[in-house]
Amino acid sequence: MTHKKFALPSVGAALALTALGLTGCTAPAGGAPSANGDEHVTLTIAEPVHGVGYLPLYAAIDSGAFEDVGITVEVTTLTGGGHVNSVLSGEVFGFIGGVESGAVANVKGASLKGVVNVVNRGNVYFVAPEGEEPAAGDDLGDYFAGKTIVGGRHGGTPNAILRHILIENGIDPDADTVLQELEDSSAIPAAMSAGSAEIAVVADPQLGMGVSQGLWSEPFLNVPQELGPYAYSSIVVPEKTIDENPELVQRFVDALMKGQELIEGDPEYAFELAKTEFPTLDPEVLQATLDRTYADLLWDGSCLSTEAIETNLKVARAGKILDDSDVPQSYDTVATTKFTGDC
């Protein structure tokens, strides 16, 4: 078997695309080498954070599922939208994240599609310090009004959900609340600890860590249960890669689906793998994180369902993350079941 590693362009190309806003641009191939069935290739997946929700991807690496199909997968963490830019520049094979990020790029001239699902619920929770949460039956609009809310960067999936929830409760995010939209979500606990925000929008393991540290109580709004199936984190690649290297994409998807099945079916393995991936995390917090993940069905198959995509796009539009009025986005423009089979 021959071994092949794709030569990557510089990160500067991705930043140039950001500066241009992609206006009039066509996205490059996306870092996918041309590969025959007997070639071993190395592919890179960009992630916006190193998160517990991505365990199916890590499991496909750890279990050897990728190596079994002749692929070495490397993961790079690029914050602040860098995971998307790295795909647009051709620096990496694909990114793991919301398909609405692909839709936003598509509106500006790119052509990105989700090929396999990983996290099938909106992995976001609203929390407040103990005793400051809304009481059962309280009107959430009244509760949110006038408060300072800290969350992730504008344009990110958690931020889209935050804005959507506020709008659904009759709140104008920019007029009726003060939003602290942080480029680095790891700074959210510090904002809450300093008392500069009254509500936080977080995901695990940050959620569980904050509970254990007394920064906030258990979530008062559970988004996975609130929104149902939601294409929160998928593997997104350029359509050109799908067209020119379908065999390679199929091998990648087949292996990732095995990782997904492994995590969904073996919680004990998931815990052991998570301990390796997050060695500094308290085991009790990690177990609570996994318990919540399974209970809320964050992992729920590999196929990108119509319902999950439509919810994703609806939230992105409502949260004013996606304006596709001139270049409409739909299931067919942002996702495919070509490699997973129909849902």
Side-chain angles (χ1 to χ4, degrees), residues 33-323:
S34 176
N36 298 317
D38 60 348
E39 288 183 325
H40 190 108
V41 298
T42 296
L43 303 177
T44 302
I45 295 295
E47 60 180 11
V49 296
H50 196 61
V52 174
Y54 301 158
L55 277 180
L57 172 62
Y58 309 151
I61 297 171
D62 176 73
S63 67
F66 283 123
E67 294 290 342
D68 289 344
V69 296
I71 300 174
T72 295
V73 170
E74 299 174 349
V75 177
T76 181
T77 305
L78 300 173
T79 61
H83 61 306
V84 180
N85 292 331
S86 65
V87 176
L88 296 172
S89 71
E91 184 186 3
V92 302
F93 174 73
F95 72 81
I96 183 167
V99 294
E100 85 287 342
S101 295
V104 170
N106 292 350
V107 166
K108 297 176 182 178
S111 185
L112 304 179
K113 279 190 173 182
V115 294
V116 59
N117 200 32
V118 179
V119 180
N120 197 42
R121 295 291 189 278
N123 186 17
V124 172
Y125 300 84
F126 284 62
V127 295
E130 187 172 358
E132 299 180 25
E133 320 93 321
D138 282 359
D139 183 273
L140 284 180
D142 291 340
Y143 174 75
F144 287 133
K147 286 192 168 59
T148 299
I149 306 173
V150 62
R153 67 180 178 86
H154 186 272
T157 311
N159 183 272
I161 293 175
L162 163 58
R163 287 173 167 269
H164 169 72
I165 293 294
L166 292 176
I167 292 167
E168 286 287 294
N169 284 279
I171 295 294
D172 181 328
D174 299 310
D176 299 332
T177 65
V178 177
L179 295 187
Q180 296 182 4
E181 299 170 311
L182 306 183
E183 286 293 320
D184 184 358
S185 61
S186 66
I188 292 175
M192 292 294 285
S193 179
S196 61
E198 299 157 278
I199 300 170
V201 179
V202 294
D204 274 316
Q206 197 173 64
L207 166 57
M209 292 171 64
V211 172
S212 70
Q213 294 166 6
L215 291 178
W216 47 68
S217 60
E218 292 292 333
F220 66 82
L221 196 155
N222 182 312
V223 171
Q225 295 177 13
E226 184 83 9
L227 297 182
Y230 184 108
Y232 185 82
S233 297
S234 309
I235 300 296
V236 180
V237 304
E239 190 166 11
K240 186 174 181 180
T241 302
I242 295 171
D243 293 340
E244 295 182 354
N245 296 293
E247 183 271 344
L248 177 61
V249 177
Q250 187 67 68
R251 286 157 57 191
F252 180 94
V253 170
D254 287 346
L256 182 54
M257 289 175 68
K258 289 182 179 178
Q260 187 89 24
E261 292 170 0
L262 184 56
I263 292 299
E264 289 186 17
D266 192 342
E268 292 184 3
Y269 170 74
F271 179 74
E272 293 303 320
L273 177 61
K275 284 200 301 184
T276 300
E277 293 290 335
F278 305 94
T280 63
L281 195 59
D282 185 306
E284 290 187 7
V285 172
L286 182 57
Q287 186 62 64
T289 293
L290 289 173
D291 289 345
R292 185 171 12 248
T293 299
Y294 284 110
D296 290 341
L297 300 178
L298 264 64
W299 298 312
D300 189 23
S302 299
C303 182
L304 286 157
S305 70
T306 300
E307 180 183 5
I309 293 292
E310 288 180 347
T311 299
N312 178 289
L313 295 178
K314 171 186 173 183
V315 168
R317 292 185 188 110
K320 298 182 180 180
I321 302 301
L322 171 65
D323 179 359

